[in-house]
Amino acid sequence: MREVYVPNNSTYKMYHNFFNQVGGGYNSQGYIYNNQVGGGLGGFFRSAMKFAMPIGKKLLYKGWEIAKPELKKVAKSGVQALTRVAEDQSTKVQKKLNSLGKRRKVDALGS
């Protein structure tokens, strides 16, 4: 049967002291597993983000609702502009094709 590790208070303290470098005599060769005490900056930023995220979401959704009609107008004008460019190009190509057929053919003597 396999041996199962069941921690008790003394073994917990021993491993805690070893990995956190509390006290001497455990020779962990300078390896520091966990040396931070307290919340640190991560706790501050986490709480700030928890506060700011709902506000940012509301602002984003409101801004999207306000911008929808304007975006539709911009898209419509963009489609119209592309249509104009395409029509202009097609007329230029058509003129070029029409002018190719009207050129006088030059014979081998150059006349």
Side-chain angles (χ1 to χ4, degrees):
M1 183 164 209
R2 196 171 166 184
E3 189 176 331
V4 178
Y5 171 69
V6 180
N8 58 19
N9 196 22
S10 64
T11 57
Y12 172 78
K13 283 182 181 178
M14 183 180 73
Y15 283 109
H16 183 267
N17 291 340
F18 176 77
F19 285 116
N20 290 310
Q21 299 254 331
V22 178
Y26 292 110
N27 192 15
S28 65
Q29 298 163 353
Y31 179 72
I32 299 173
Y33 176 70
N34 182 13
N35 65 350
Q36 182 176 353
V37 178
L41 288 176
F44 170 74
F45 287 120
R46 181 175 51 242
S47 61
M49 288 303 289
K50 282 183 182 178
F51 178 75
M53 285 302 289
I55 296 171
K57 272 186 171 180
K58 285 181 184 177
L59 289 175
L60 185 66
Y61 287 128
K62 291 293 182 184
W64 179 251
E65 291 299 321
I66 292 170
K68 269 185 185 178
E70 295 301 320
L71 289 174
K72 285 181 182 177
K73 289 178 188 175
V74 168
K76 192 173 184 179
S77 66
V79 168
Q80 290 171 351
L82 284 175
T83 306
R84 278 196 308 270
V85 168
E87 288 173 353
D88 291 343
Q89 291 298 324
S90 66
T91 55
K92 286 180 185 177
V93 169
Q94 189 64 37
K95 285 180 183 177
K96 193 175 223 180
L97 289 174
N98 290 340
S99 67
L100 286 177
K102 295 179 183 176
R103 286 188 185 164
R104 194 180 112 190
K105 293 185 180 178
V106 179
D107 60 0
L109 297 176
S111 59

